Amino acid sequence: MGKVIGIDLGTTNSCVAILEAGAPVIITNPEGSRTTPSAVAFTDSGERLVGEAAKRQAAVNADRTIFSIKRQMGNDYRININGKKYSPQEISAIILQKLKKDAQDYLGESITDAVITVPAYFNDSQRQATRDAGRIAGLNVRRIINEPTAAALAYGLDHGESQKVLVYDLGGGTFDVSVIEIGDNLIEVLATSGDNHLGGDDFDERIVQYLIQEFKKTEKIKIEKDAVAVQRIREAAEKAKKELSQLTQANVNLPFLWSGKGGAKHMDINITRAVFDRLTEDLVNRTRQPVLDALAQAGITAAGLDKVILVGGSTRIPAVQAVVKSITGKEPCKNLNPDECVAAGACIQGSKFGGEIVAGAASDIILMDVTPLSLSIETIGGVATKLIDRNTPIPTRQSQIFTTAGNFQTSVDIKVLQGERRFARDNKLLGNFRLTGIKRALAGVPQIEVSFDIDANGIVNVSARDLGTGRQQNITITSSSNLTEEEIERAERDAQMYASEEAAHREAVDIRNNAEAYLYKVEQAYHDMGKKFDRSVRSNLKADMSELRKRIVKAKPDKITYEQAGEIMQALEKLKQTTVSYGIQV
Ligand code: AMP
């Protein structure tokens, strides 16, 4: 088998690495860069541009230039270009194709296999979409691995003692923070947090706005109306930003930026690091809370961290490094290039499949990732009953026995849900299927085992088996979905907000369910006792049963109010007293 490349398919930039002589080598693209902008453009003539070429012409061809397609992975987003609709997978595949070709040109041999990285919080659909993009690009995707896990592999942190590591990843458009635990031959993601709309582009934008204002002050010209000029300013701003990571001052010099009645105007503005730090202070500070959140989620304080790794080009900014140090109290590891270590880690993982020997012990590692969100099935009352909690290490398999809600029910619908909310309707429906052929029996008798299997790539397989007949149905959750990163974040925020409201609703549903179960038993007993009891006992019992039945029917599980739950409790109490007073066993 040939070599396996490691690909960091980033929101703003992508990177590809290959293992040579036991060490990762970052592949330089034909444009001379070690990372490639994750940008795709289509020209008038239908030609495709990828990477730097696409980014350059964005200002004059904005409608047909696509940036940050990674944000759309796994949802139904489609982009219409020249009358053809493209899915996020197809656009990503165009980027992957270029990376693959660059690697082939570098190696002088054909490449078929790859390991691709994704953010640790990517859900099943997003992972699947990434895998599909690889396939579309003609790659056999051997493994999808988490970005922080790849970074840890690149740092060879599997050596020695077990340790907890914070991976702080500030790229071009996203901020991710993960706490990982490196143990005996495994790397486990303990927690993830971040800000999906924070990255180097925001820092560029602050400089752009500053330059526009300064230009206005001296030249009295509103340069922001000129798209091409703004694009030039943006490129210069990013360059200045990068220089300011090394130097205390940068110069933005753009000759002939504007021309009009008064002749040509040039931009020549100095920007100091102090000004840059002032302009971007709030952006840097926005990374604090997610770091604290991730630590809290992992159940540790900063003092419990053994190491801090910086990932993403924007962590080269001195103020960013300073803030990381101030939150964690640790000097972050900086000996690898932050924008390359994820791809390097991916190729180390890839080399395991290629049978190559990696310098160090990284080749022995068993990667252990976690499920980003909880997985449940819908049960009576619209409740989402969890089988797998979020942050459970994968691969994993969990089973639980369920039963039927109605008498002589011969089929059940299994709805598979992803999310943290208590009720099915508030979570993401990943898929559903029907188990048929269940043996006819009274409600509560059949035993249906539902199993969730999540493989090492985070792909979910669900099966339901009637233990009575052995009949089984299963699905693999493969479809793309509408759940974006924003939706996950919103779902989590909502979950917190609605937690108390939901707890009350859930309690009411539980009261109803328990009352119904009790009523069912009394009905059975009533049926069995025949004429054993005299008529007055039976009519009292019947009256109480029908009162409770009425209350239960009135309270619809999905809309049940607290008052209705109270009425059910009253009717239930009355029935209980009656059954006890007549010595009826239920
Ligand atoms: P990534 O997506 O990890 O490649 O990060 C890309 C972001 O890092 C872009 O916003 C770059 O402008 C930024 N970046 C790259 N190098 C530097 C640097 N030396 N100083 C500051 N930002 C940088």
Side-chain angles (χ1 to χ4, degrees), residues 185-256:
N185 278 344
L186 58 86
I187 297 181
E188 189 176 341
V189 181
L190 298 181
T192 63
S193 187
D195 184 334
N196 200 24
H197 288 277
L198 177 64
D201 294 349
D202 300 300
F203 289 71
D204 298 348
E205 183 59 26
R206 293 293 166 86
I207 302 182
V208 169
Q209 291 309 322
Y210 174 77
L211 295 172
I212 287 173
Q213 292 311 322
E214 291 297 302
F215 194 70
K216 200 174 285 169
K217 269 191 222 159
T218 52
E219 306 293 346
K220 313 277 179 287
I221 290 168
K222 290 185 177 169
I223 196 77
E224 67 269 28
K225 297 215 155 76
D226 182 341
V228 175
V230 171
Q231 174 65 14
R232 283 182 67 196
I233 295 175
R234 194 171 301 282
E235 280 172 20
E238 187 185 5
K239 193 163 153 274
K241 173 187 75 174
K242 289 181 178 171
E243 282 172 16
L244 287 168
S245 292
Q246 300 289 331
L247 310 168
T248 52
Q249 181 163 314
N251 175 257
V252 176
N253 191 341
L254 295 171
F256 303 98

Side-chain angles (χ1 to χ4, degrees), residues 321-350:
Q321 297 181 0
V323 90
V324 178
K325 195 173 167 193
S326 100
I327 316 170
T328 61
K330 291 213 159 42
E331 193 64 58
C333 304
K334 285 186 267 190
N335 35 338
L336 295 181
N337 281 336
D339 31 15
E340 298 172 356
C341 61
V342 168
C347 92
I348 290 173
Q349 174 65 21

Side-chain angles (χ1 to χ4, degrees), residues 166 177-179 190-194 289-300:
L166 184 120
V177 53
S178 320
V179 178
L190 298 181
T192 63
S193 187
Q289 194 55 46
V291 172
L292 298 176
D293 290 346
L295 287 171
Q297 216 186 91
I300 56 168

Side-chain angles (χ1 to χ4, degrees), residues 5 13 30 49 104 145 319 323 353 390 403 448 457:
I5 51 174
N13 292 297
L49 303 174
Q104 288 182 159
I145 66 168
V323 90
F353 304 112
R390 69 188 295 237
T403 187
I448 297 155
N457 297 309

Side-chain angles (χ1 to χ4, degrees), residues 296-511:
Q297 216 186 91
I300 56 168
T301 62
L305 289 172
D306 296 286
K307 275 197 185 65
V308 177
I309 300 181
L310 296 181
V311 176
S314 303
T315 60
R316 288 200 170 97
I317 297 171
V320 169
Q321 297 181 0
V323 90
V324 178
K325 195 173 167 193
S326 100
I327 316 170
T328 61
K330 291 213 159 42
E331 193 64 58
C333 304
K334 285 186 267 190
N335 35 338
L336 295 181
N337 281 336
D339 31 15
E340 298 172 356
C341 61
V342 168
C347 92
I348 290 173
Q349 174 65 21
S351 66
K352 284 178 61 179
F353 304 112
E356 287 205 34
I357 308 297
V358 189
S363 57
D364 299 332
I365 214 137
I366 299 161
L367 285 181
M368 189 174 269
D369 289 340
V370 296
T371 50
L373 292 169
S374 302
L375 291 171
S376 359
I377 65 163
E378 180 173 337
T379 54
I380 193 154
V383 171
T385 300
K386 277 186 197 169
L387 269 90
I388 297 181
D389 279 323
R390 69 188 295 237
N391 282 339
T392 300
I394 55 171
T396 185
R397 185 186 157 84
Q398 301 287 339
S399 306
Q400 210 169 304
I401 307 284
F402 294 88
T403 187
T404 48
N407 286 335
F408 312 119
Q409 192 178 329
T410 54
S411 68
V412 286
D413 285 316
I414 310 281
K415 288 190 180 156
V416 183
L417 309 157
Q418 191 171 36
E420 305 314 308
R421 301 285 294 274
R422 282 287 183 77
F423 289 95
R425 58 162 191 257
D426 301 318
N427 289 309
K428 163 87 189 151
L429 179 68
L430 285 183
N432 56 355
F433 64 101
R434 174 170 288 196
L435 176 66
T436 55
I438 298 170
K439 214 151 119 199
R440 283 169 65 80
L442 292 174
V445 173
Q447 295 214 303
I448 297 155
E449 184 188 53
V450 178
S451 304
F452 278 44
D453 238 315
I454 311 183
D455 71 13
N457 297 309
I459 309 237
V460 184
N461 214 311
V462 185
S463 66
R465 194 155 63 97
D466 174 9
L467 298 183
T469 61
R471 280 183 84 101
Q472 178 163 332
Q473 286 289 325
N474 51 316
I475 51 165
T476 303
I477 311 283
T478 52
S479 62
S480 296
S481 74
N482 293 317
L483 193 64
T484 63
E485 293 149 30
E486 289 96 308
E487 281 175 311
I488 297 181
E489 284 171 4
R490 200 180 322 126
E492 285 186 350
R493 273 200 306 273
D494 284 355
Q496 282 164 8
M497 206 162 78
Y498 293 123
S500 52
E501 193 185 313
E502 282 189 359
H505 187 188
R506 190 181 168 102
E507 205 182 321
V509 171
D510 284 348
I511 289 168

